[in-house]
Amino acid sequence: MKILFTVGGSQAAVFGVAPLAAAARSAGHEILLAADEPLMAAAQSLALPALCITPDRMRYGQDAMTATDRIDALLELTRQWTPDVVVGGLSHVPRVLAARLKVPFVRHIWYIAPMARRDRTAIAELQPQLQRLGLAELPEPDLFVDLCPPALRPPGAPAAQPMRWVPRVSQRRTEPWMYTRPEGGRKRVLITAGTRNLMLDTPGSSLRRLVDSLTATGAEVLIAALPEAAERYGAELGGVRIGWIPLDVVAPTCDLAVHHGGATTAMTLIHAGVPQLIVPDNGYGKAVAEAVSGYGAAVMVDRNRPGDGQDPDEVTATACREILTDPAYAERTRTLAAHSAALPTPDEVLRGIEALAAR
């Protein structure tokens, strides 16, 4: 069987689809990953056979702006390599492709933020593409695979096939400090902005104050960041380790993680049973923060609305200290991790996809 996986947006989309793609490849199926140029390095770091279809990054909600180029590129690909199944994510362009090819379509996403309204808008905007390709309508996905634990799904979320989260990130040479806990029972706190540097744009104030507040409690602080951020800011942050840290390796050694609300970050931390302090930098991150904090496994700090007369930096520092001293957060996170670990594996979900192709 040939399975075409398609991704766009951020590296998180590559990391999210990698376990299912790897399971398909290990089962003997042929796979290809169609991606934007900015995502090619991430795909290659995970040893996925990837093909660039557009030079620019696709963003959710902008299907109509790039649909013609993306569909034409995918059609050209499938003239040379015809898939039996198409797997897509947030974008509905792969769904159009599957309808044109008359093959099953699998939607594979992390459904933690309500998106029905945006989906309807995106589908409506693709009507010119359907007409161009001679399609009367856009069929519903044949299978909806959701990586979000059921307890975190928003009200009204569509029925889906749940799948266990399996961490996948770009790796680097592993060192003992990454997979061992600090000596003497010292707490460890990880700060990260995922593959973006937004949290590190102004390290001289907020980040420095947070680091100082955490180290004052005796905690060891790690900062996971892109290499250019480490080179730029490392000297300003004293003896703190900063650089590309494989999150899946270091997460089990942490007592707290402070981050922006990215899907890969949040789920990898949940998988490892690590409580979170989430400072969202956009609407999606806020939805993640609200869901995880609503379960009791995190605290959300909205720096745009810290409260009357409150210093956002002090609010963040206080919340970190609360999580580190109150065992309830760790207990709730471990419960959520156990629920997630009980969900079907990528291998089990693959069997359902194989059944679709066999119809």
Side-chain angles (χ1 to χ4, degrees), residues 211-300:
V211 170
D212 288 345
S213 174
L214 290 169
T215 54
T217 69
E220 177 191 71
V221 178
L222 308 178
I223 301 178
L226 296 176
E228 54 266 32
E231 182 177 351
R232 181 177 178 184
Y233 303 130
E236 301 178 28
L237 297 170
V240 172
R241 294 186 189 273
I242 178 172
W244 183 264
I245 300 173
L247 185 59
D248 57 333
V249 176
V250 78
T253 72
C254 295
D255 300 282
L256 166 65
V258 181
H259 66 95
H260 60 298
T264 296
T265 303
M267 277 306 303
T268 300
L269 294 167
I270 289 171
H271 179 269
V274 182
Q276 305 170 42
L277 186 287
I278 305 177
V279 186
D281 58 18
N282 55 34
Y284 184 81
K286 187 173 183 180
V288 172
E290 289 174 341
V292 183
S293 63
Y295 190 84
V299 171
M300 179 181 76

Side-chain angles (χ1 to χ4, degrees), residues 10-202:
S10 73
Q11 292 185 37
V14 179
F15 298 150
V17 81
L20 184 58
R25 199 177 190 193
S26 295
H29 302 299
E30 293 183 55
I31 71 163
L32 273 181
L33 179 70
D36 307 330
E37 179 59 42
L39 306 184
M40 293 299 290
Q44 291 164 7
S45 74
L46 299 177
L48 295 176
L51 178 74
C52 175
I53 56 169
T54 57
D56 301 315
R57 187 187 304 275
M58 185 281 296
R59 298 190 183 279
Y60 179 47
Q62 298 181 348
D63 271 8
M65 297 174 60
T66 59
T68 299
D69 290 343
R70 295 174 68 80
I71 289 173
D72 288 348
L74 288 168
L75 286 171
E76 178 61 28
L77 162 62
T78 57
R79 276 191 281 270
Q80 302 168 325
W81 193 88
T82 305
D84 300 294
V85 177
V86 174
V87 180
L90 291 173
S91 170
H92 293 279
V93 165
R95 189 170 157 191
V96 174
L97 173 72
R100 171 68 173 181
L101 298 177
K102 298 181 180 179
V103 300
F105 174 70
V106 177
R107 195 177 196 197
H108 176 286
I109 58 175
W110 199 57
Y111 200 105
I112 197 168
M115 59 183 71
R117 184 176 179 181
R118 294 182 70 176
D119 279 349
R120 287 193 297 269
T121 299
I123 292 170
E125 291 175 344
L126 287 173
Q127 289 304 311
Q129 300 300 326
L130 297 179
Q131 295 173 8
R132 178 171 76 97
L133 298 175
L135 299 172
E137 61 181 359
L138 191 57
E140 290 297 315
D142 296 276
L143 181 65
F144 177 17
V145 177
D146 190 3
L147 295 169
C148 184
L152 300 185
R153 301 187 87 216
Q161 165 64 63
M163 190 175 87
R164 181 186 309 176
W165 178 265
V166 180
R168 288 288 187 277
V169 297
S170 298
Q171 297 295 317
R172 55 163 282 193
R173 183 188 295 268
T174 304
E175 300 176 30
W177 63 266
M178 296 178 183
Y179 55 81
T180 57
R181 295 186 62 85
E183 295 180 355
R186 190 181 182 192
K187 301 282 189 179
R188 173 176 278 180
V189 180
L190 175 73
I191 301 174
T192 179
T195 55
R196 294 173 287 176
N197 286 340
L198 298 180
M199 195 178 289
L200 302 176
D201 284 344
T202 55

